[in-house]
Amino acid sequence: MMKHNATIFVKGIQRVDGDKDTVEMSGAGTVETTEKGLRLCYSEYDDEGIRSDTALTLIGETVKIDRSGGNEMTMIVQKGKHRKCSYATPMGALLIGTYGTHLSHGGNTLSLKYDLDMNSVLMSKNELEIKYIID
């Protein structure tokens, strides 16, 4: 197991009803390689300065995203599979579904595409690209 400090670049794209929203951020984090896969950890801040800590764990064709702090959630995106996940909101937890349509890792880039649904109704199509440079 090797853990390294890294600079992490995150780009998220969300498509809802033909509209596209892109969010980008970068910051310090860690990259850890294990015998099973990869783990990326970083912190991010929302528009009001509230911190959230995120850990992405890649094992095979599955990515688990754990976020604690301001926007708590645990989400599993598995290529070709539908999964149920909990997402915390100020008004309570929501049960959402994820369906992974693409997952790749290579050249210090983790890329995934997935659909989000609620009550089996498509809410959005999402892309997440995370690049990391080991310090």
Side-chain angles (χ1 to χ4, degrees), residues 22-81:
T22 302
V23 176
E24 295 184 66
M25 58 88 49
S26 64
T30 60
V31 175
E32 187 175 353
T33 54
T34 69
E35 64 279 352
K36 292 184 179 182
L38 176 75
R39 183 173 171 88
L40 302 170
C41 299
Y42 59 92
S43 296
E44 56 189 301
Y45 297 85
D46 68 12
D47 294 337
E48 291 148 18
I50 298 173
R51 178 180 163 163
S52 294
D53 296 317
T54 301
L56 285 93
T57 306
L58 169 67
I59 299 174
E61 300 250 312
T62 303
V63 173
K64 181 180 180 193
I65 304 170
D66 290 303
R67 184 175 293 146
S68 61
N71 297 309
E72 290 189 17
M73 74 162 192
T74 296
M75 186 167 75
I76 296 172
V77 177
Q78 188 173 8
K79 187 176 177 183
K81 302 274 185 178

Side-chain angles (χ1 to χ4, degrees), residues 77-82 98-103 113-115:
V77 177
Q78 188 173 8
K79 187 176 177 183
K81 302 274 185 178
H82 188 262
T98 64
Y99 182 81
T101 59
H102 169 82
L103 175 64
K113 294 180 182 180
Y114 58 96
D115 297 341

